[in-house]
Amino acid sequence: MALQRLSNHSARRLFLDRHALLEQPAGPAKGADLLELIQRLGFVQLDSINTVARAHDVILYSRRPGYRAQNLKRLYERDRGLFEHWTHDAAMIPMAFYPHWHLRFRRDTELLRKRWRNWRRDGFEAQFETVLNHVRDHGPVSSSDLGKGEKKSAGGWWDWHPSKTALEYLWRSGALTVVGREGFQKRYDLTERVIEEHLRPAAHCDEAATVNWLCSAALDRLGFATSGELAAFWDTASAAEAKAWCAEQLRQGGLEEIGVEQADGSLRKVFSRPGTVREAEELGPAPGRMRVLSPFDPVLRDRKRAERLFGFHYRIEVFTPAPKRQYGYYVFPLLEGDRLAGRIDMKADRDADLLRVTAVWPESDMKWPRSRTRRLEAELDRVARFAGVSRVVFADGWLR
């Protein structure tokens, strides 16, 4: 039997729809409405770089222009609608998903103890009780509150004193919970004081049920995927577990295999729920306005998937020496309709009250008439207000 075929155009629209980018960027962006958006995305990745705004804030702003950073902080720190932990990286995750993280806690407990011993973080395990007692007696702490006088590990980004390592380990393994950030520095408290009791029964963690939820929830947010992509979405289920889940769901009729046309015209075999092809073909067009996306936007998180679907090759160059960068330190992708149209290098100069645009690189197959520049200018005016500056200025020769 021939595979159902999903055109590249329909596949892009479906993927954008699942990530709240097929609709007009509008709507409420605080409280329950903001939580609903994050649940739809699954999580929002955190990042500390703030050239225009932090990554998590740009992700939410690009979908709801009324969003402001304090809305997320309130939802996280006051309302406890979110918790912070890891997917493929540090992220804000809906609190309703917390029971599914017990498997992650268990697996991080085993993984990190072995890995951090190998990285010569000597003495961190001896600090567990000391750290827990300190938090119990003094309330939420940051790493700067602990470890005074302790010797740090030798060099590199992991240059942590034993108490800092213990804090991170106890958080990643579930004994502590991050309750907020000050200047992007995490504050930790006892999980039993933060997470409601009905969400905390780790003893009842059912691995099979959790893997089922992880794979199913990932597919809901991707629309179609290989088993490897399902495993990578939350980065908790193993590739073997996701492969077995797909095989069982295929046998039961909960999944089907389809062929998705890639940007280069090739066909990629993936799994989807029955009816997905028809759903994708019935979706309306994407908004024509241009949008700035975060380099860590969910649409771009899997760089290879983005390249296959959109023909858009993107690599962040933060860690690339300046002379070797192709584009710039922190370059934002540009979305127009259902196409990734180019990228922009810009920075908010708050002292000068300006958004400074260094360069824009359209994709090679994108013409750039004056109408497209006007759409970009309109978006940058909005981004400037979001970043808290008044004017946009373009460097000479900005259109590359």
Side-chain angles (χ1 to χ4, degrees), residues 37-98:
L37 173 61
I38 298 171
Q39 287 175 327
R40 181 174 172 184
L41 299 177
F43 59 87
V44 177
Q45 183 175 341
L46 295 166
D47 191 71
S48 61
I49 297 173
N50 192 9
T51 55
V52 173
R54 298 197 194 277
H56 41 283
D57 294 321
V58 176
I59 290 168
L60 297 170
Y61 166 79
S62 64
R63 291 153 172 83
R64 304 285 171 84
Y67 168 82
R68 292 298 180 267
Q70 64 266 25
N71 299 357
L72 183 66
K73 185 176 179 67
R74 187 178 302 117
L75 182 62
Y76 171 38
E77 297 184 6
R78 188 195 70 182
D79 300 343
R80 297 286 172 226
L82 304 166
F83 71 100
E84 182 176 342
H85 211 264
W86 278 67
T87 54
H88 67 293
D89 210 322
M92 294 285 190
I93 305 160
M95 189 64 78
F97 298 173
Y98 189 88

Side-chain angles (χ1 to χ4, degrees), residues 134-192:
H134 183 92
V135 177
R136 187 173 291 110
D137 294 342
H138 297 89
V141 301
S142 64
S143 60
S144 60
D145 298 321
L146 299 171
K148 293 177 175 61
E150 291 181 7
K151 184 179 179 180
K152 294 183 178 181
S153 301
W157 65 267
W158 58 89
D159 186 20
W160 295 347
H161 54 68
S163 293
K164 162 65 173 173
T165 307
L167 269 175
E168 285 287 304
Y169 178 88
L170 290 166
W171 167 52
R172 293 282 295 272
S173 58
L176 296 178
T177 295
V178 175
V179 293
R181 287 177 178 258
E182 294 174 359
F184 218 68
Q185 186 179 54
K186 295 191 287 288
R187 291 184 294 110
Y188 308 78
D189 201 354
L190 298 176
T191 293
E192 64 206 54

